[in-house]
Amino acid sequence: IGGGFPEMVMQELHANSSLRGEIKAFIEAGGPVYAECGGLMYLSRTLTWNGVRCEMVGAIPGDAVMHKKPQGRGYVKLQETGRSPWRQAEAGDNRIIAAHEFHYSAIENLPANTEYAYAVRRGAGIDGLHDGFIYKNLLANYTHMRDVGDNHWTERFLSHIKRCREQQQNRN
């Protein structure tokens, strides 16, 4: 689920409860999902902007709140924690990833035991220390990844989708 500006259409997103329910059910069933920035906000429990609060997907047990000033802006450096659902051990768990972020929202009220795919070495991420919210096969971050250098994330995510599909076929 890509980035964008969900706050601009938050009432329409809220009104489409059937889609929100289908996305949440897919995530709960272990479906592979990757979300960046606006996608992270859409997957949160609620989105609040200009005093209006709307329900979102609810797969992320936190609330996206818009602010007047950027909460994260510029280049970031992330260090993998080894917890990503689509990590590759051969790539090394301590790899540093260069990327960028630009968001006016912050995710609030996340549980203390939240798992993250990345430690923030430079930037803001989700809470100033972490980015890459993990739940089942969901990975959602504020950081916008680039598929360059040793961070070929699209290849890794596609391999993860294939593994998830194979596991589902083996269960059936």
Side-chain angles (χ1 to χ4, degrees):
I1 301 173
F5 303 91
E7 68 276 13
M8 303 298 290
V9 291
M10 65 189 231
Q11 292 177 345
E12 290 88 344
L13 292 170
H14 167 81
N16 195 343
S17 60
S18 61
L19 178 61
R20 290 188 292 117
E22 288 176 24
I23 292 171
K24 187 170 184 185
F26 182 78
I27 291 168
E28 290 296 334
V33 175
Y34 176 57
E36 283 187 350
C37 202
L40 165 74
M41 295 165 61
Y42 178 54
L43 293 177
S44 71
R45 187 172 36 221
T46 63
L47 173 54
T48 302
W49 185 40
N50 289 331
V52 177
R53 183 179 182 147
C54 291
E55 287 184 27
M56 294 291 112
V57 172
I60 296 173
D63 305 293
V65 178
M66 295 298 297
H67 296 270
K68 292 190 185 297
K69 294 184 178 183
Q71 301 300 294
R73 176 176 61 184
Y75 292 111
V76 301
K77 289 195 184 230
L78 305 176
Q79 185 171 13
E80 291 189 335
T81 64
R83 294 187 186 108
S84 170
W86 32 285
R87 68 182 278 267
Q88 291 180 325
E90 66 272 11
D93 289 336
N94 293 317
R95 195 163 42 111
I96 300 293
I97 297 169
H100 73 276
E101 66 183 336
F102 185 78
H103 52 99
Y104 279 78
S105 71
I107 303 295
E108 299 178 356
N109 307 314
L110 283 170
N113 64 347
T114 297
E115 286 195 58
Y116 297 97
Y118 310 108
V120 173
R121 298 297 176 228
R122 176 183 175 186
I126 291 175
D127 66 358
L129 300 173
H130 309 97
D131 205 357
F133 173 90
I134 300 169
Y135 177 69
K136 296 188 178 191
N137 283 313
L138 164 64
L139 174 58
N141 24 272
Y142 269 123
T143 298
H144 294 268
M145 296 291 181
R146 296 177 295 173
D147 193 311
V148 296
D150 68 346
N151 185 34
H152 294 288
W153 71 266
T154 52
E155 211 173 277
R156 293 170 71 188
F157 183 53
L158 291 173
S159 293
H160 176 63
I161 291 169
K162 184 179 177 183
R163 283 191 304 274
C164 289
R165 183 178 296 145
E166 289 168 355
Q167 289 171 354
Q168 183 180 21
Q169 290 170 346
N170 290 338
R171 283 192 298 261
N172 296 335

